[in-house]
Amino acid sequence: MIIVMKPKASQQSIHAVTNYIENSGLQVHLSQGEEVTIIGIVGDKTRISTENLIIFKDVDRIVPVTESYKLSNRKFHPDATVVKVGNTTIGPGNLTIMAGPCAVETKEQLLEIAKAVKASGATILRGGAYKPRTSPYSFQGLEEEGLRYMQEAKAQTGLSTICEVVSLEAIEAAVKYVDMIQIGARNMQNFILLKEAGQSGLPVLLKRGLCATIDEWLNAAEYIIAEGNPNVVLCERGIRTFETATRNTLDLSAVPVLRNKTHLPVIVDPSHSTGSYKYVAPMAKAAVACDADGLMIEVHNNPACALSDGPQSLTFEKFEKLTAELRPFCGLLGRNF
Amino acid sequence: MIIVMKPKASQQSIHAVTNYIENSGLQVHLSQGEEVTIIGIVGDKTRISTENLIIFKDVDRIVPVTESYKLSNRKFHPDATVVKVGNTTIGPGNLTIMAGPCAVETKEQLLEIAKAVKASGATILRGGAYKPRTSPYSFQGLEEEGLRYMQEAKAQTGLSTICEVVSLEAIEAAVKYVDMIQIGARNMQNFILLKEAGQSGLPVLLKRGLCATIDEWLNAAEYIIAEGNPNVVLCERGIRTFETATRNTLDLSAVPVLRNKTHLPVIVDPSHSTGSYKYVAPMAKAAVACDADGLMIEVHNNPACALSDGPQSLTFEKFEKLTAELRPFCGLLGRNF
Amino acid sequence: MIIVMKPKASQQSIHAVTNYIENSGLQVHLSQGEEVTIIGIVGDKTRISTENLIIFKDVDRIVPVTESYKLSNRKFHPDATVVKVGNTTIGPGNLTIMAGPCAVETKEQLLEIAKAVKASGATILRGGAYKPRTSPYSFQGLEEEGLRYMQEAKAQTGLSTICEVVSLEAIEAAVKYVDMIQIGARNMQNFILLKEAGQSGLPVLLKRGLCATIDEWLNAAEYIIAEGNPNVVLCERGIRTFETATRNTLDLSAVPVLRNKTHLPVIVDPSHSTGSYKYVAPMAKAAVACDADGLMIEVHNNPACALSDGPQSLTFEKFEKLTAELRPFCGLLGRNF
Amino acid sequence: MIIVMKPKASQQSIHAVTNYIENSGLQVHLSQGEEVTIIGIVGDKTRISTENLIIFKDVDRIVPVTESYKLSNRKFHPDATVVKVGNTTIGPGNLTIMAGPCAVETKEQLLEIAKAVKASGATILRGGAYKPRTSPYSFQGLEEEGLRYMQEAKAQTGLSTICEVVSLEAIEAAVKYVDMIQIGARNMQNFILLKEAGQSGLPVLLKRGLCATIDEWLNAAEYIIAEGNPNVVLCERGIRTFETATRNTLDLSAVPVLRNKTHLPVIVDPSHSTGSYKYVAPMAKAAVACDADGLMIEVHNNPACALSDGPQSLTFEKFEKLTAELRPFCGLLGRNF
């Protein structure tokens, strides 16, 4: 933590800051520049609300020099984490594809889709049973019944399964039926849910919030890991910007940035971010090319009749074509698929 | 709902769309322009996933013509809602000031602040007992103990009270101790929590999400009202933009926009939006000038030692000076304060 | 300038940085923390491309501690600047209202509007003769002919005049006819135009770019002042965000932030920022309440037939009502109007 | 153009709108829904300021149904444009790499870099002679002298050349020395410069503005093409968002969106968008994978001493490694490189 004083800050103002710090049991490191004085704090910063120093007289700025997340920070955990989900893994050396419908609608629908995505190379079946919808009048999901269909689909296909959870109740149900739980974008800073996900014992897919910075996202992962659950996978799914040609703006640069900042696996969702089936294939290839560990893709047996997110769902044929095209990319990047 | 076809869309493509609509029991209204054909849908749109029509051949765009929120929509409820909170009200004719610390820290602190903000004209005491914090290592609040202090402060001062809730457990506790609950920005689309807040019976202050559009915000209010609870107050608290000179960007234009779109009261939080005590007074005056129904302002007995958000907290003296300056503004706008 | 090294940076890496700095003739100030080492640079930073240090091994971050703008910086020029425009002034103690049509259309139109806005209290007539339009097929302005009408309107009413310029040619014409030139939002970082405006001798109204940070804006002002022209007025006119209920998001907090960072006067344009006449009056009052030095407001004799920006233009009646309502606000804030 | 009336709009209000349209010589198409009435306009919309209709009584919304750009619109020009630059081409079937220093610094520097990037496969040499810089105190470029070095580098290597222009004067110089001119992000809506670029006769690389929507970008291209110059190449270089981990947010989805909306070639600049050499290689691969027609990459002989943008410049070794890795991607996508 560095405190930058204003030009011509008085000695009295500087002493007020250094006294406050030293009285809190920390040490001070003073650097007198030509224009400004800079005060470094040495010691355990949790003993002091350093942000409050901004209100001291003649203080210009507070500059944090270390990140608040430790467990998810590559600086302290240099080796890449590999997350096991059912009988597949997410991490270096693999390209893991999660595919399935936005919402579980019927058992028949889910089984048909499960077989199709498995045939094309997906290893994890996605399907929403608890749907967070902008309007209270939209379809909200089949809840536990949907989870039972997921279990059935797993039994018939051998696919691992993932389902979004939105409450403790949903987590408690999910633990009984699926292999991985997902925290959606709108709940990325629902800290109660993050803690409960951390305690669930299941691996967690943590989607990025629509307006979350990468550092806030890693702090959210920290909430889960701090509960003793290191099996967190990050999923970039687009951020909110001024551009409306796509539903959100897929921030693919987040993939190499995260590679640099964290040891956790990173996957990309080209379906929700773009909001249109037309853009899913090019953005899926781009995600693989910049070294994502996996993809989450919406596939539907009949997009025109989907109860949720039809416009962005791939048909079986389009999904089959895409995975075929992705294989040689994986070869170039040294990933099994 | 209007479907805009591409220029030179074939008759076959147009028929595919109109057949689909008519087969769903709805009527079609065709408009052949010089460049493009436009298809209007007449009837109950809940019978069809109209968004899916975008994937039909030669469809260019889907344009919704009505909002999805009805209960919070001024078009259907022209009269302004007045929300009663303990023995004060929020709505036309009043300027309601909610003030208090970001976090409840001790009983003594809360009582001292409660007396001071009451003396300066606040009628509702705010104080956080459940704190959603970006980092798991920051102070997370006193929880139910904090709520008991709020009850005590009410007993001693007669102020009404408000506290943020982050879970069903917190709501169940809040119902016992305070007069109004708050849904924070990070939970604005935690739809489970919105429903539970709607069932609580208490009036609800709904803060705008950091990247929520005004329409999404009104859909969130719809979730609460749809549970039978019409007592919703909206609170603008800044949105996330590229500008970093303030913590967030206070979108004051939202006040007249909401006045136009909804009958619900609107208040403004100049503390969280700007993130600095220096900007609270000018933005509070601006909020009153553009006709907000109230303000939420953080006040602390000793900002330098606040456990949360010290930099944006006003001292008692600054708060007293601000409310004194606000009185003549209220006079100009015909509001009691 | 501070260089923050990574945790466990080697002595060799630290030496590489300090050597590079010292070899450039600057001094180094080393601060060894518990987790990280911090290197301060003392001396004239223009001698070195400090940003490049980020590519040195084990460097984590470069933190600038001083702003790059000096002439527009309040830290070095504490007294508020007053800008004289024709026979009126912009700065402390006054509320200056600039009003008029978006585009000059005909001589009769301009004269009629000029008389009306003068009667309601405006002291500067605005009118666009060079219109930067998104589409090449929209009306682009009357150019020099429009400027001549501005001169005629000044002769008949005594109003001072302002016109946007988009090129050196436009500046050369404007110097002959009007009292102040405006650099529009889209040209805020057209550095050639900024330099030419600085050399024109006329006071300059510098609008904020749609995605310009406040610091970039002050750097743009620096370009003008560095040419020897200190008469710069800043105009907040909304920034681009995800919200579409208004054309742009008026960042009113920029007014107190600028008051803190610069000595230049600040005015607000509630017409372009909101894009709707309905929101002009409340946002104009809010701007005055947070202590803006003036307003720029679009007024048209017949908004339904305006060639540009009709939806946001006030009629004469609405403008008269607004200025009448603004007078008591000015009284509260100690400004003449 | 569609006008959506408010629910319960009076017949009088509807007639006011239809009369206004019909009096302008256009036809009206009325559609009476259950909730709202919709009015379509048929005919040449340039005869009427349709946006002004929003101020008519009971009008709720104006919905444009056609884009304002025609010449750059794929709907009217389905075949992909191929742009010839010196002796290379940009368009389908090729991957064109433009590489070189951010700023031309000395003749020796430029020649050394030109030879290196040619050896690695670049076919166009980039180098800035006119530098738009945020601060007036930063290096502003060698101007015409820099252009002469570009000409010399072309003579020695056979590379085609591109240079950014910032004024008519710069365009007039560029025409003498280089093969293509670039309009930078900050000048994307400098409409005077766009027209002058259109008249220059040289192919134009048009970078996306930091906060430009894709539709505004295509309108900017329309300005150039409308001057009789069809040789426009679009360059995605990142947009401004709240995320600060990269300098800007590279909007790669813009590549397939543009493919859909326009016939113009699209290239990607991973250097300026990310601002860090570490992220250039993964984002370059991602750009190629989503089918960009080319790349613009900054390469420097000694990044630590670059006068501009050192942190994002690749060394010769890194650039050589990157182009080698890109070759098999080009094979997969059917592009020569």
Side-chain angles (χ1 to χ4, degrees), chain C residues 6 20 46 49 51-56 59 68-71 131-138 140 143 166-167 186-187 189-192 195 209-213 215-216 219-220 222-223 226 240 247 277-278 302-312, chain D residues 6 20 46 49 51-56 59 68-71 131-138 140 143 166-167 186-187 189-192 195 209-213 215-216 219-220 222-223 226 240 247 277-278 302-312:
Chain C
K6 288 187 181 156
Y20 177 79
T46 61
S49 284
E51 59 168 8
N52 289 346
L53 286 163
I54 190 69
I55 63 183
F56 278 62
V59 170
S68 53
Y69 49 92
K70 304 293 174 195
L71 301 171
K131 301 301 307 168
R133 301 299 294 271
T134 302
S135 163
Y137 310 122
S138 298
Q140 312 264 322
E143 306 193 347
V166 295
S167 64
R186 284 167 189 75
N187 279 314
Q189 291 197 316
N190 179 345
F191 301 116
I192 302 295
K195 288 180 189 172
L210 268 79
C211 66
T213 63
D215 276 357
E216 289 171 337
N219 269 302
E222 191 86 358
Y223 265 94
R240 182 156 276 177
R247 182 200 274 162
Y277 73 91
K278 278 182 296 203
N302 185 358
C305 295
L307 292 181
S308 173
D309 282 342
Q312 74 204 31
Chain D
K6 288 186 181 154
Y20 176 81
T46 61
S49 283
E51 58 166 9
N52 289 345
L53 286 162
I54 190 69
I55 64 182
F56 278 61
V59 169
S68 53
Y69 50 92
K70 305 292 172 196
L71 302 171
K131 300 302 305 169
R133 301 298 293 272
T134 300
S135 163
Y137 310 122
S138 298
Q140 311 264 325
E143 306 193 348
V166 295
S167 63
R186 284 166 190 76
N187 280 313
Q189 291 197 315
N190 178 345
F191 301 116
I192 302 295
K195 288 180 189 173
L210 268 78
C211 65
T213 63
D215 276 358
E216 288 171 338
N219 268 302
E222 191 86 359
Y223 264 94
R240 181 157 276 177
R247 182 201 274 163
Y277 73 92
K278 279 182 295 205
N302 184 358
C305 295
L307 292 182
S308 174
D309 282 341
Q312 74 203 33

Side-chain angles (χ1 to χ4, degrees), chain C residues 222-241:
Chain C
E222 191 86 358
Y223 265 94
I224 299 169
I225 305 175
E227 296 294 324
N229 184 346
N231 297 308
V232 177
V233 176
L234 303 167
C235 180
E236 162 65 32
R237 49 77 69 220
I239 57 174
R240 182 156 276 177
T241 71

Side-chain angles (χ1 to χ4, degrees), chain A residues 287-307:
Chain A
V288 172
C290 69
D291 208 24
D293 297 299
L295 295 167
M296 173 172 262
I297 295 178
E298 294 200 348
V299 176
H300 198 279
N301 53 326
N302 185 358
C305 295
L307 292 182

Side-chain angles (χ1 to χ4, degrees), chain A residues 93-236:
Chain A
N94 276 333
L95 182 80
T96 306
I97 298 191
M98 308 179 177
C102 182
V104 178
E105 298 171 13
T106 65
K107 198 203 288 193
E108 295 65 36
Q109 170 236 28
L110 188 66
L111 292 176
E112 184 185 351
I113 296 174
K115 286 168 192 164
V117 301
K118 187 185 183 188
S120 297
T123 53
I124 302 182
L125 176 67
R126 65 147 287 149
Y130 301 86
K131 301 299 306 169
R133 302 297 295 271
T134 301
S135 163
Y137 310 121
S138 298
F139 176 61
Q140 311 265 325
L142 297 181
E143 306 194 349
E144 190 156 351
E145 191 186 348
L147 291 176
R148 276 193 293 267
Y149 299 163
M150 290 293 283
Q151 191 183 38
E152 172 82 20
K154 176 180 173 149
Q156 292 203 15
T157 61
L159 287 169
S160 302
T161 51
I162 181 172
C163 186
E164 179 170 356
V165 291
V166 294
S167 63
L168 178 56
E169 188 194 348
I171 291 177
E172 287 169 348
V175 168
K176 293 187 276 177
Y177 301 108
V178 297
D179 299 308
M180 185 178 210
I181 54 177
Q182 173 187 316
I183 304 284
R186 285 166 190 75
N187 280 314
M188 193 205 86
Q189 291 197 315
N190 178 346
F191 301 116
I192 302 294
L193 193 65
L194 294 175
K195 288 180 191 175
E196 290 166 348
Q199 292 156 11
S200 73
L202 286 183
V204 180
L205 184 73
L206 179 63
K207 286 202 155 186
R208 182 181 188 177
L210 269 78
C211 65
T213 63
I214 288 174
D215 277 357
E216 288 171 337
W217 193 8
L218 290 173
N219 268 302
E222 191 86 358
Y223 265 93
I224 299 168
I225 305 174
E227 298 293 324
N229 183 346
N231 297 308
V232 178
V233 176
L234 302 167
C235 178
E236 163 64 32

Side-chain angles (χ1 to χ4, degrees), chain A residues 6 20 46 49 51-56 59 68-71 131-138 140 143 166-167 186-187 189-192 195 209-213 215-216 219-220 222-223 226 240 247 277-278 302-313, chain B residues 6 20 46 49 51-56 59 68-71 131-138 140 143 166-167 186-187 189-192 195 209-213 215-216 219-220 222-223 226 240 247 277-278 302-313:
Chain A
K6 288 187 181 154
Y20 176 80
T46 60
S49 283
E51 57 166 10
N52 289 346
L53 286 162
I54 191 69
I55 64 183
F56 278 61
V59 169
S68 53
Y69 49 93
K70 305 291 173 196
L71 301 170
K131 301 299 306 169
R133 302 297 295 271
T134 301
S135 163
Y137 310 121
S138 298
Q140 311 265 325
E143 306 194 349
V166 294
S167 63
R186 285 166 190 75
N187 280 314
Q189 291 197 315
N190 178 346
F191 301 116
I192 302 294
K195 288 180 191 175
L210 269 78
C211 65
T213 63
D215 277 357
E216 288 171 337
N219 268 302
E222 191 86 358
Y223 265 93
R240 181 156 277 177
R247 181 201 274 164
Y277 73 91
K278 279 181 296 204
N302 185 358
C305 295
L307 292 182
S308 173
D309 283 340
Q312 74 204 31
S313 296
Chain B
K6 288 189 182 154
Y20 176 80
T46 60
S49 283
E51 59 166 8
N52 289 345
L53 286 162
I54 191 69
I55 64 184
F56 278 63
V59 170
S68 53
Y69 50 93
K70 304 293 174 197
L71 301 170
K131 302 301 307 169
R133 301 299 294 272
T134 302
S135 163
Y137 310 123
S138 299
Q140 312 263 323
E143 306 194 348
V166 296
S167 63
R186 284 167 189 75
N187 279 314
Q189 291 197 316
N190 179 346
F191 301 116
I192 302 294
K195 288 180 189 172
L210 268 78
C211 66
T213 63
D215 277 357
E216 289 171 337
N219 269 303
E222 191 86 357
Y223 264 94
R240 182 157 276 178
R247 182 201 274 162
Y277 73 92
K278 278 181 297 204
N302 185 358
C305 295
L307 291 181
S308 173
D309 283 341
Q312 75 204 31
S313 296

